[in-house]
Amino acid sequence: MEKKLVEVFMQRNFFIKYSFFKNLEFPSLDYFSRKFILVSAILLTIGLTTSIAITNIALTIGFVGLLTAVVSKTFKFKRNDVPIGLLFIQNLLSVFGIDIKNSFTNLNPIRLFLPYFVLSRLSEKHKAIVNLLGLVTIFTSICIIINAFFGHKITDLLSAKHIYFHFPPLQANSLWSTNALATGSIMMMLTLVFITLSFYYKSIIYYISSLLGFLSLFLIQERSAILGFVIGVILIPFFVKKIKRKHLVFYYSAVVLVFLVFLQVGFIKQRINQAIQYNKSTSIFLRFAQWDAAIKAMPKQDLKTILFGFGLNNADKAILRYKISSFKSICDKYSLHCSSYTKLNGIGHMDNLYFQILIDYGIIGELLLFASFFIILKNNLTARPISKFSTAFNKSTTIAFISFLVSSFFFSAFLYIDFVYFLMYLLGLNESIKIWDSSDIINKLKYM
């Protein structure tokens, strides 16, 4: 009898001790997916302008998060993903190029658009991410300013890269970008985003990031980025209703005054004069020659090449002779002594996104590009964001995107992976903020 009582007592104690396991609810795959995406978004925000190593780690974590979402059946393609899908298809057109192996050695379309899908699926901490982006903008701007004035190259320990010092006496780049054009465009878009947000929120982060971003943009000295920035600043009053009509004169007067002051700075004045007096600049003639070569060469190709292009990085040999011929004729027309054609050894850099897409992906690729950009603009302009913050960020992103479209007339944006990553990041973040906002109680309750 006593033995049975002991056994019963031990069984009861065991049941009491371990019964809590029955009530435990382990996190779902969807939970893990959202946390992976959050971590990836944070690391991408830090790494996009500072470290290629952090960026790669972030993309890997983000890919795991998206894959987990697919397994848990919570990942779905949305209507707003269509523009990115069109750009993905455009990249695949390289299979019709003249050297498929060469094209896909330099192309990874899945990885290229990962930042968009990671950020567009972010469901929390949006304001924190934007504030972090502001701090990263401040840090990057300070690095650019230090390099420009003191020539000190701040080493990125994780990726063993440096700030790129390109055009003396004053010009600087980001921490891991290899081209001042890409960095200039990134800083242009970031500065416009935070200037626009500053009209909605009194934030010291937004104010400082706007100011330092503006200064670093001019130190980078890329005219295409400065042009895009001017367009963006002109557009701000049309998007921000807080600027009343009676204040427009003051706003534009202040803008003109600031630009006039900056134009008095020696190196900036020199770069602007080179653009105005284009008939004395061989570098500008080189761009004319590149565009003229694309226009003359494409109609003389076979139908497949006209429709689908040469493929990424394949047009060098086919168009080089047209480029040299155009450059020589332009130099002769303006009586310039163009002693060397060494810069003509690669048509891969058209310094124009739209001509670049034409030669790389043909007419089909060009149509896909225009369709993608049109849908992005349409979606942003007709969006009905759920909060003040999502409204402000959507408008700031739209202004930055339009400025990018303008600057792309002088910049082959999609040749630079760091810029493509950033563009996809910004578009994805905007899409998620349109739907999910940290101030939206209904979305919070959904996951409680």
Side-chain angles (χ1 to χ4, degrees):
M1 183 71 178
E2 291 181 359
K3 187 176 181 182
K4 287 184 179 180
L5 287 172
V6 170
E7 288 179 357
V8 170
F9 179 76
M10 291 181 66
Q11 288 175 0
R12 184 175 295 178
N13 279 348
F14 179 86
F15 176 77
I16 294 171
K17 187 175 180 180
Y18 295 102
S19 62
F20 72 93
F21 282 112
K22 295 183 179 180
N23 298 321
L24 266 183
E25 292 185 10
F26 290 98
S28 63
L29 283 175
D30 179 50
Y31 173 84
F32 283 113
S33 171
R34 288 186 284 112
K35 295 309 173 185
F36 277 127
I37 287 173
L38 175 60
V39 172
S40 176
I42 293 171
L43 291 177
L44 273 174
T45 304
I46 296 171
L48 278 174
T49 62
T50 60
S51 171
I52 190 171
I54 294 176
T55 300
N56 287 335
I57 293 170
L59 290 176
T60 302
I61 295 173
F63 180 75
V64 173
L66 293 173
L67 195 61
T68 306
V70 171
V71 173
S72 65
K73 298 181 180 180
T74 57
F75 181 89
K76 294 180 180 179
F77 284 101
K78 304 173 184 177
R79 179 185 292 183
N80 286 356
D81 297 335
V82 170
I84 308 305
L86 294 177
L87 292 177
F88 179 82
I89 294 171
Q90 177 206 79
N91 275 259
L92 295 181
L93 293 180
S94 283
V95 299
F96 299 105
I98 59 178
D99 189 341
I100 299 175
K101 183 179 179 180
N102 180 57
S103 292
F104 282 90
T105 300
N106 299 282
L107 177 67
N108 189 336
I110 295 176
R111 191 175 185 81
L112 207 59
F113 301 110
L114 262 181
Y116 169 83
F117 286 102
V118 170
L119 270 296
S120 64
R121 269 59 185 181
L122 181 66
S123 60
E124 55 186 315
K125 307 292 184 184
H126 293 101
K127 288 183 180 178
I129 293 291
V130 174
N131 287 336
L132 178 61
L133 183 62
L135 293 174
V136 172
T137 302
I138 292 170
F139 174 73
T140 305
S141 300
I142 290 173
C143 292
I144 291 171
I145 293 167
I146 290 174
N147 185 40
F149 284 103
F150 303 104
H152 181 66
K153 301 181 180 182
I154 301 174
T155 304
D156 176 10
L157 297 176
L158 289 175
S159 59
K161 296 289 181 181
H162 302 80
I163 297 177
Y164 184 63
F165 193 78
H166 178 65
F167 188 88
L170 288 174
Q171 189 169 18
N173 209 316
S174 72
L175 290 176
W176 73 273
S177 174
T178 56
N179 188 275
L181 278 166
T183 303
S185 295
I186 290 172
M187 295 310 299
M188 170 199 73
M189 296 182 75
L190 283 172
T191 305
L192 287 171
V193 164
F194 287 109
I195 288 176
T196 307
L197 288 176
S198 297
F199 283 100
Y200 289 89
Y201 295 95
K202 295 179 181 179
S203 168
I204 190 68
I205 294 176
Y206 297 169
Y207 293 152
I208 296 176
S209 57
S210 299
L211 179 62
L212 294 182
F214 174 73
L215 180 58
S216 65
L217 175 63
F218 276 89
L219 292 177
I220 293 169
Q221 296 184 44
E222 285 304 329
R223 290 164 293 197
S224 60
I226 293 174
L227 172 63
F229 180 76
V230 172
I231 297 300
V233 170
I234 292 172
L235 287 175
I236 286 176
F238 294 94
F239 285 84
V240 180
K241 293 182 180 180
K242 285 192 171 187
I243 303 177
K244 299 179 181 179
R245 288 186 179 181
K246 62 181 181 181
H247 296 148
L248 284 178
V249 174
F250 173 77
Y251 173 84
Y252 286 119
S253 298
V255 169
V256 171
L257 181 62
V258 170
F259 275 101
L260 287 176
V261 171
F262 269 85
L263 288 177
Q264 298 310 308
V265 180
F267 64 89
I268 296 175
K269 189 174 183 179
Q270 178 186 0
R271 294 284 283 173
I272 299 299
N273 285 337
Q274 286 177 354
I276 296 173
Q277 300 175 357
Y278 65 90
N279 59 338
K280 297 180 181 179
S281 173
T282 54
S283 65
I284 292 178
F285 281 149
L286 180 60
R287 291 188 177 187
F288 291 163
Q290 290 170 159
W291 304 343
D292 185 58
I295 294 171
K296 289 180 178 177
M298 286 304 290
K300 298 181 180 180
Q301 307 305 313
D302 57 70
L303 181 61
K304 188 187 81 169
T305 304
I306 292 173
L307 290 176
F308 302 107
F310 294 93
L312 184 64
N313 293 338
N314 288 335
D316 296 35
K317 294 180 181 179
I319 300 184
L320 182 58
R321 62 190 179 95
Y322 295 98
K323 188 177 178 183
I324 293 176
S325 175
S326 297
F327 192 51
K328 285 181 177 179
S329 63
I330 291 173
C331 289
D332 292 340
K333 179 179 179 180
Y334 290 95
S335 301
L336 284 178
H337 179 63
C338 304
S339 57
S340 174
Y341 299 103
T342 55
K343 291 183 178 180
L344 300 173
N345 61 357
I347 193 67
H349 298 275
M350 295 293 294
D351 286 324
N352 182 299
L353 173 63
Y354 310 104
F355 281 124
Q356 188 72 52
I357 296 300
L358 180 66
I359 66 166
D360 285 346
Y361 304 113
I363 293 175
I364 301 298
E366 195 81 18
L367 292 175
L368 289 172
L369 180 77
F370 288 145
S372 174
F373 287 173
F374 174 78
I375 296 172
I376 290 171
L377 278 176
K378 180 177 176 293
N379 288 344
N380 285 0
L381 293 173
T382 59
R384 294 183 178 180
I386 60 176
S387 67
K388 176 186 173 182
F389 181 69
S390 56
T391 299
F393 196 81
N394 180 56
K395 289 184 177 181
S396 66
T397 302
T398 305
I399 291 169
F401 185 72
I402 294 173
S403 299
F404 151 70
L405 297 181
V406 174
S407 67
S408 291
F409 280 98
F410 307 95
F411 169 45
S412 299
F414 286 0
L415 288 181
Y416 305 100
I417 191 169
D418 48 342
F419 180 79
V420 177
Y421 279 165
F422 172 77
L423 182 63
M424 294 299 111
Y425 167 94
L426 190 63
L427 293 176
L429 182 58
N430 185 45
E431 287 301 324
S432 65
I433 291 177
K434 284 181 193 176
I435 304 169
W436 293 94
D437 181 48
S438 56
S439 62
D440 182 20
I441 299 175
I442 295 176
N443 287 331
K444 282 185 177 181
L445 291 173
K446 185 176 179 180
Y447 283 100
M448 285 183 65

